[in-house]
Amino acid sequence: MNLFNKILNILFPPKCVFCRKRLPDEGVCDDCAGKLPYRQSPLIKYKISFVDESYSPLYYEGNVRRAILRYKFAGLAGYSREFAKILHSCVNTHLSGKFDIVTWVPVSKRRLKKRGYDQSGLIAHELGRLLDMTPQKLLVKARDVPPQSKQPTQQKRITNIFGAFKPVDADLSGKSVLIVDDIATTGSTLSECARVLKTAGADKVYAVILAKTQLSGKLKK
């Protein structure tokens, strides 16, 4: 470790992404590595319309929820590296060899300008590095819509997100695509992305999501 990095570690000591415990190096502490709310089989896989297979390794709760909120709203973009490692293990177990292209669910231009980065895009690029693949931007969010989390029913989520994404000019004929996202509740956003990709020519669409919420009784079909 060079002198500059030593000074950085003194001023900004590395902490666990999830519980914020101080660590010798950036990463995930042993306690969190063993105690995170992992989704166990068969729950790790769930059905989303237009998506051929989708997987999510974690529940969106506790320290996972807090870590993702820090990542999205507190400028901690470096968390993408640890999130990608978790998704890499999931992809290797369930989707290895099934896709030709890696892409992500994009944010709107307004959200990108405000946040400074596209959270799912960063995770996708870190995952691509681990997979030795270069992710491609296949979608743009052409319409800024109210947050999906504010929609009280499944049908309103579908209606809210319909037409929000447009395909980038790319030849997807016969291609299999892996979409990366950070959080999913009902999967309406991923479903719309997959629908657009298949309309643009994709043969298969797979999805991997860092964390899945547990549906509350308030969200009706």
Side-chain angles (χ1 to χ4, degrees), residues 171-192:
D171 183 11
L172 299 181
S173 301
K175 299 292 186 180
S176 295
V177 179
L178 175 68
I179 309 178
V180 177
D181 204 4
D182 58 343
I183 308 167
T185 299
T186 64
S188 300
T189 300
L190 282 162
S191 176
E192 177 64 7

Side-chain angles (χ1 to χ4, degrees), residues 65-80:
R65 177 180 179 276
R66 286 186 280 273
I68 293 176
L69 290 176
R70 287 194 298 271
Y71 172 59
K72 293 174 69 169
F73 302 113
L76 296 176
Y79 280 19
S80 59

Side-chain angles (χ1 to χ4, degrees), residues 84 102-104 119-129 133 135 180:
V102 176
T103 192
W104 63 94
Q119 75 274 1
S120 294
L122 285 185
I123 297 172
H125 279 84
E126 290 296 335
L127 177 61
R129 183 177 59 81
M133 299 176 71
V180 177

Side-chain angles (χ1 to χ4, degrees), residues 47-54 179 187 190-191 194 198 205-207:
K47 184 172 178 58
I48 299 175
S49 298
F50 300 107
V51 178
D52 292 275
E53 292 179 46
S54 58
I179 309 178
L190 282 162
S191 176
K198 286 190 171 181
V205 176
Y206 302 99

Side-chain angles (χ1 to χ4, degrees), residues 50 52 100-101 138-139 166-178 192-206:
F50 300 107
D52 292 275
D100 309 301
I101 304 171
L138 300 182
L139 296 164
K166 301 294 182 185
V168 172
D169 186 20
D171 183 11
L172 299 181
S173 301
K175 299 292 186 180
S176 295
V177 179
L178 175 68
E192 177 64 7
C193 289
R195 184 190 70 81
V196 171
L197 290 173
K198 286 190 171 181
T199 300
D203 179 45
K204 299 282 186 181
V205 176
Y206 302 99

